[in-house]
Amino acid sequence: RMNLLIYPTWVTQVHVASNVFDEYQDFFREMQSILSIVVSVLPPARKCEAMLWRMLPVYGGQATHVICRDTDAITTYREAQAVQEWEDSGVVPIWLEVKSATGKQSPVQKSFQNQVENEGHVYAVCRSVEDIESILTSVLEENYRHVED
């Protein structure tokens, strides 16, 4: 309900496994009807795969902004202020993929990287805290230099 109040022009999308939907379909249908929430019913996932469903709007190409959160995390006005500040700043999104020293990207991860880079976002594969600090420092310095110009 808070999403509808705080982000009235945004679409709230919930991804749910078919077995969960079947058990709680009255609840999900009520959410669709009353709150205009889009409910995507997907086949049951293996292991932690369902946690990645939150990124589906990014792959769909229709969303200009995506906020990923757990369903039990309530949207707040403070968060909305931070989102608005970020939107107004002109700072590009930064995607960090953290890997071990020997970890390799999967084909899906490479495809995702290509997609977000094509949209003008920054994407980096980091293998240490120093990598993360370095990319954040350089990107933020460049972004804020651009915003101040």
Side-chain angles (χ1 to χ4, degrees), residues 42-97:
L42 302 167
R46 299 181 318 253
K47 297 185 181 178
C48 297
E49 189 177 286
M51 290 179 7
L52 300 175
W53 290 349
R54 65 186 67 207
M55 298 308 296
L56 289 173
V58 174
Y59 287 106
Q62 296 174 342
T64 58
H65 299 73
V66 175
I67 297 176
C68 301
R69 62 185 329 109
D70 293 336
T71 55
D72 62 349
I74 297 173
T75 306
T76 67
Y77 287 105
R78 182 176 179 202
E79 173 190 272
Q81 291 171 331
V83 169
Q84 188 62 53
E85 183 179 321
W86 169 73
E87 284 183 314
D88 294 343
S89 74
V91 174
V92 299
I94 303 168
W95 298 82
L96 300 178
E97 181 178 337

Side-chain angles (χ1 to χ4, degrees), residues 103-120:
K104 298 191 183 321
Q105 284 184 300
S106 70
V108 170
Q109 290 168 324
K110 288 179 182 178
S111 174
F112 180 74
Q113 177 179 356
N114 187 47
Q115 180 179 348
V116 299
E117 287 177 338
N118 286 339
E119 292 177 16

